[in-house]
Amino acid sequence: MSVPVSSDAELIAAHTNGDPHAFSELFRRHRDRLWAVALRTVRDHEDAADALQDAMISAFRNASSFRAESQVTTWLHRIVVNACLDRIRRRQARPTVPLPETGPTEPAVSRDAIDEQDTKMAVQDALAELPEDQRSAIVLVDVEGYSVAETAAILGVAEGTVKSRCARGRAKLAKLLGHLRNPSADANVRDDAMAMRQREGR
């Protein structure tokens, strides 16, 4: 029977030493946030699930490569983001048209609920318009709430690069989402992203 361990680093060590339960516990701890990042990045439940599965298989197999130079969560998120970007590139090579999600037989919903869903979809669609590097930075910093330093570690780039990508992404999002708010020359999409997180209870 495996000995309970508390820290993520200890779980990784236990996994590499043959503990059959350690990696499952590590994934259980972080799956919700890893899933959120995957879903926001690829914007498709099936692709997000596949990307997360690919990432966890990679992490499971390559846990011995973890050198404790960063936090385990940073390492896991980097693998997930890379898997998501791979999915996006593959999807762009074979674009598909999604089927409509609503129909005449579906129950009516309130105007407020429709407006909220419209806003959420508008933000998601706008995120999809960003280049991959800007989208990843925006998702991690503005949507998921990671610090610039954490995001830099996850993406494997300098902090200044994260700031630059966020600035460019926010500028583009501000234009794309201008219809959702009062026009402003210094509009910042962080408010829209923060509002979306609050609506979803994050």
Side-chain angles (χ1 to χ4, degrees), residues 70-96:
S70 62
Q71 293 185 0
V72 174
T73 52
T74 299
W75 177 71
L76 289 173
H77 277 81
R78 183 184 302 130
I79 296 173
V80 170
V81 169
N82 286 336
C84 288
L85 295 180
D86 286 342
R87 284 272 159 186
I88 291 171
R89 294 181 190 112
R90 274 182 265 173
R91 187 172 62 192
Q92 288 173 340
R94 47 175 179 77
T96 58

Side-chain angles (χ1 to χ4, degrees), residues 129-146:
E129 293 292 319
L130 298 180
E132 295 170 10
D133 58 348
Q134 294 175 20
R135 186 194 314 172
S136 298
I138 290 286
V139 165
L140 290 170
V141 175
D142 288 343
V143 180
E144 294 303 321
Y146 287 97

Side-chain angles (χ1 to χ4, degrees), residues 40 43 119-131 134-143 165-181 184 186-194 196:
R40 295 250 188 247
R43 295 185 62 253
T119 298
K120 178 180 175 181
M121 290 180 65
V123 173
Q124 291 177 340
D125 288 343
L127 281 170
E129 293 292 319
L130 298 180
Q134 294 175 20
R135 186 194 314 172
S136 298
I138 290 286
V139 165
L140 290 170
V141 175
D142 288 343
V143 180
R165 290 177 181 178
C166 285
R168 292 199 304 271
R170 288 169 190 154
K172 185 169 184 178
L173 286 175
K175 294 178 181 178
L176 293 171
L177 298 173
H179 62 286
L180 297 180
R181 55 188 300 159
S184 172
D186 60 351
N188 189 322
V189 75
R190 178 183 291 270
D191 296 337
D192 295 316
M194 290 284 288
M196 185 170 68

Side-chain angles (χ1 to χ4, degrees), residues 46-62:
E46 185 175 344
D47 277 351
D50 288 343
L52 185 57
Q53 177 176 293
D54 290 347
M56 291 304 98
I57 290 173
S58 176
F60 183 92
R61 292 175 176 172
N62 298 294

